[in-house]
Amino acid sequence: MTEFPRHVDGAAVRAITILLLVAAVRQASAQTPDVASGRAESGRVSVGGEVSATYGSLDPGFFNYATYAYDPLRNVRVVLDGSARVAPHVELLGEVRTDGLSEARVSALYVRVRPWLTRGVDVQAGRVPTAFGLYGRRSYGGDTPFVTRPLPYAYLLSLRPDARPATADDLVEMRGRGWLSAFPRGVAAPDRGLPIVNTDTWDTGVQVRLAGQAAEWTAAITRGTLGRPRLHDDNGGRSFSTRAVWRPHPGLAVGASAADGAYLSRAVRDTLRAGETLEQFHQRATGVDVDLSYGRWLLRSEVLWSRWDLPAFEGEADGRSVSATATWAEARVRLIPGLDVGLRAERLGFDRIATPSRETPWEAAVSRLEGGLAFVPVRHVRVTVDVQRNRRPLGGRVRHDTLLAGQVAVWF
């Protein structure tokens, strides 16, 4: 899965913590804070973060279960990030995150190099920002009145990197069980599946970004994939991702993304047939998105397509691929200063697979309608009330549910 060795992650946590402590000390003599961004900056060092507490309905259907086995509807999250400019062209950035006040983990740690200070060109290396999708770079102080993320960035599918189905029936039996799926090949113990895009942790690699006034392009080569970012390589493959954004108007941005990388781990290597290699089984994804703001209104929409290659089932000569299509759209309107209301509609659908007895979707489709109300009583404090209606007719132990949650968030 996406957990990392404790001794490596612990060292990185300590490094980020030292960076943040240094930033805090420097901040004691800070200049005027940047009120617009919510980040306080002083010379070469900056520090920021968010603390949020969420309490809501129990989610027995695991519609909101996340990669690190926490429930976003009942969670306390602490996020700290910092940056230090160590030279005119070089900056060190990092983020430490904890959910449920459990063990902290490094969600980002990278070096940014700007060859030319007057041009929008930078090279980043380390655990770098996601170069895919509209939602991949969302940070604290968000501008939507929702507690949860869109389905493709959070919902867990039954597919796993360390276990695989032996037959098509094995795959179909796990529909709606991404929170705890099990397959007969590879690691036998039940465990969490993969999301389409994992936004809990960024991937490790190198990224290049070119930015102008009307367009931006980002490309990255990393060790993991969209659904499975990695600190260490465990399959010998590499992943490529890219995103282009066009801004024809200050209030309009149109984006397109693509990614391709091997997602299976060494845990299933011995289960492959002669001639099959881990590097040939990929997750491939594409996406298009629109971000539009006009007056008090903010509109966002995105469509993502993802496909996973599967090793050959028993009794079949060739492997197959399965795919998913995710569509979501949200609207926010600012009723008065400090009071926002929003609505999000989304659906996650899947293609069909042939079993010996029938042809059926390989995973259970999910649809969600979500409404939120966010109130900012004082600067950098947000109170959010969120309600969502989930439907999953073909799988899971709960087929539909209505969930309510409230959240208090403070960012700085």
Side-chain angles (χ1 to χ4, degrees):
M1 300 301 294
T2 53
E3 289 85 350
F4 308 112
R6 288 178 179 266
H7 69 280
V8 175
D9 215 24
V13 169
R14 289 191 292 273
I16 298 280
T17 303
I18 292 172
L19 171 64
L20 294 171
L21 289 175
V22 171
V25 172
R26 290 286 303 273
Q27 200 56 45
S29 58
Q31 300 172 0
T32 304
D34 183 352
V35 175
S37 66
R39 295 176 59 88
E41 299 192 4
S42 176
R44 295 183 175 182
V45 180
S46 70
V47 62
E50 178 185 294
V51 179
S52 63
T54 308
Y55 187 79
S57 308
L58 287 174
D59 186 6
F62 295 91
F63 290 101
N64 295 278
Y65 206 55
T67 306
Y68 281 91
Y70 66 89
D71 182 357
L73 301 186
R74 293 191 171 188
N75 185 44
V76 176
R77 167 171 289 184
V78 180
V79 179
L80 295 175
D81 67 7
S83 65
R85 192 173 299 279
V86 298
H89 298 266
V90 182
E91 187 175 11
L92 175 65
L93 304 97
E95 179 182 273
V96 173
R97 177 182 299 183
T98 179
D99 287 287
L101 300 179
S102 59
E103 181 180 358
R105 64 183 184 274
V106 175
S107 52
L109 179 60
Y110 59 98
V111 174
R112 175 186 292 158
V113 179
R114 287 196 170 111
W116 304 278
L117 297 180
T118 59
R119 299 181 182 180
V121 179
D122 61 59
V123 180
Q124 302 178 146
R127 185 162 289 175
V128 295
T130 304
F132 186 95
L134 179 59
Y135 213 87
R137 291 174 178 252
R138 292 292 304 282
S139 61
Y140 53 82
D143 52 9
T144 58
F146 305 107
V147 170
T148 62
R149 293 168 288 186
L151 287 171
Y153 297 93
Y155 185 79
L156 301 182
L157 309 178
S158 61
L159 291 177
R160 289 174 50 184
D162 56 352
R164 68 177 186 86
T167 66
D169 283 327
D170 291 337
L171 181 61
V172 172
E173 286 177 5
M174 288 294 107
R175 291 190 301 196
R177 292 289 302 274
W179 56 277
L180 201 64
S181 69
F183 295 116
R185 300 289 184 265
V187 177
D191 207 340
R192 299 180 299 282
L194 297 172
I196 295 178
V197 185
N198 184 340
T199 54
D200 280 332
T201 298
W202 290 345
D203 211 346
T204 305
V206 177
Q207 183 180 105
V208 177
R209 187 177 71 97
L210 307 177
Q213 292 184 346
E216 179 179 328
W217 175 73
T218 306
I221 297 177
T222 57
R223 288 175 171 168
T225 57
L226 288 182
R228 187 172 177 259
R230 300 295 300 162
L231 179 61
H232 297 293
D233 173 44
D234 70 347
N235 60 15
R238 291 292 181 267
S239 179
F240 173 77
S241 57
T242 185
R243 174 169 168 77
V245 181
W246 177 47
R247 297 182 178 87
H249 184 273
L252 174 64
V254 180
S257 306
D260 186 358
Y263 75 97
L264 291 179
S265 76
R266 293 191 179 100
V268 298
R269 173 182 288 169
D270 293 341
T271 73
L272 301 179
R273 295 182 179 182
E276 291 182 332
T277 63
L278 295 174
E279 293 87 342
Q280 75 186 75
F281 300 103
H282 284 218
Q283 178 192 6
R284 298 177 176 88
T286 57
V288 292
D289 57 82
V290 177
D291 192 322
L292 173 65
S293 60
Y294 181 77
R296 296 181 298 169
W297 288 87
L298 177 64
L299 306 174
R300 291 191 175 106
S301 183
E302 185 172 31
V303 181
L304 300 179
W305 300 270
S306 184
R307 185 179 68 186
W308 296 264
D309 299 324
L310 300 179
F313 293 140
E314 290 180 355
E316 297 186 1
D318 300 315
R320 305 191 191 185
S321 63
V322 293
S323 64
T325 301
T327 306
W328 64 273
E330 66 180 36
R332 183 215 73 186
V333 60
R334 180 149 295 167
L335 301 178
I336 59 175
L339 182 61
D340 296 345
V341 63
L343 183 68
R344 179 193 290 156
E346 47 191 322
R347 187 180 189 278
L348 186 55
F350 305 92
D351 68 338
R352 303 175 72 86
I353 189 170
T355 71
S357 60
R358 56 178 172 162
E359 184 175 292
T360 185
W362 67 272
E363 179 62 282
V366 183
S367 60
R368 174 182 293 170
L369 183 64
E370 186 169 9
L373 181 70
F375 174 56
V376 180
V378 296
R379 182 178 297 172
H380 304 319
V381 176
R382 176 184 292 104
V383 180
T384 304
V385 178
D386 186 296
V387 61
Q388 60 178 235
R389 176 66 175 174
N390 298 285
R391 296 185 69 254
R392 185 176 52 203
L394 291 182
R397 65 184 189 184
V398 175
R399 302 299 175 94
H400 55 84
D401 211 349
T402 300
L403 305 172
L404 177 68
Q407 182 184 82
V408 178
V410 180
W411 70 94
F412 55 90

